Amino acid sequence: MSPQFHTVLRKSLVWGGMLFLAALLQTTVFARITPFGAVPDLMLPAVLAIAIFDSERVGAVAGIAAGIIIGALGGTGLNLLPLFYMLCAYLVGIWATVGLSANFPSFVVYILACAAARSVVTLLAVDSAYVSYSLLDVFPQLIAPEFAATVVCAPLLYLPFRRVALFFNRRLKLPE
C-alpha cells in the first residue's frame, strides 16, 4: 500500500475520532449543561474546522458523517443535517481557500454565518413537526438560545482541531 493511502487512512481515523468526540460532548455533557437553555450544535464547528484546516472535500465528507452520527446519537429520524453540514463545510472550505484565511477571527465569521443558516434549518424542522406554532414563541425559546449556545461554545473546538491540522500540516502554512 502506498504512503498516500496510509496518510488518508490516518487522517480519516483521526478526523472521524474527533467528530465522534464532539458528538459525545454535545449529546452527554452539553445535554446536561445547557448554555442559554439550549444544547449547542458542536458538529457544525467541528466540520467547519475540518473544512478550513484540511480541504472542502474532506470537510464535506466529514459533514455527511457528522450529520449521520448526530442523527444516530440523537435518536432523530430522517433529517437534513447531513446535507446541511456537507454544504456548509464545502462552501466554507472554498472560502477558506480563496477568501478569508484559516485563523480564529475567520472561524468566528464562518460560525456566525453557518449558525444563522442552522437556525433556518431548525425553524424548518419545527415547521414540519408542528402544525401550529408561533414564531414569537419559537424564536426566543428555541432558535435564539440554540444560536447563542452554538456560537459561544464553538471556540472550544477551534484549538484542538487546529492542533490536529498542524500535525497533518496540509492547509496551514505555519511552522511546526
Side-chain angles (χ1 to χ4, degrees):
M1 292 187 207
S2 71
Q4 183 181 11
F5 174 78
H6 289 299
T7 302
V8 169
L9 180 63
R10 190 174 26 243
K11 278 178 32 175
S12 299
L13 291 173
V14 170
W15 286 135
M18 301 266 311
L19 282 177
F20 188 71
L21 289 175
L24 285 178
L25 189 64
Q26 177 178 330
T27 57
T28 57
V29 174
F30 284 109
R32 296 189 188 279
I33 304 168
T34 54
F36 304 104
V39 176
D41 183 0
L42 296 181
M43 300 309 279
L44 182 60
V47 299
L48 295 184
I50 292 171
I52 290 168
F53 297 135
D54 198 312
S55 72
E56 66 274 2
R57 291 179 183 158
V58 174
V61 171
I64 293 171
I68 292 170
I69 289 169
I70 207 64
L73 290 177
T76 59
L78 181 65
N79 63 40
L80 298 174
L81 288 180
L83 295 175
F84 174 74
Y85 290 149
M86 178 194 70
L87 181 62
C88 283
Y90 189 74
L91 293 175
V92 164
I94 291 172
W95 288 329
T97 303
V98 298
L100 298 174
S101 61
N103 57 24
F104 184 72
S106 298
F107 180 73
V108 171
V109 169
Y110 295 137
I111 289 297
L112 287 170
C114 291
R118 173 71 164 94
S119 296
V120 173
V121 170
T122 301
L123 187 59
L124 290 173
V126 167
D127 187 50
S128 68
Y130 300 103
V131 176
S132 73
Y133 66 92
S134 169
L135 188 59
L136 295 175
D137 290 335
V138 171
F139 187 79
Q141 293 176 4
L142 181 66
I143 304 293
E146 183 183 54
F147 175 83
T150 299
V151 169
V152 167
C153 294
L156 296 173
L157 298 180
Y158 177 81
L159 191 58
F161 278 81
R162 184 174 182 269
R163 299 310 287 164
V164 169
L166 281 173
F167 175 75
F168 292 121
N169 201 15
R170 176 150 190 252
R171 175 73 58 97
L172 297 177
K173 306 291 190 261
L174 300 174
E176 293 188 50

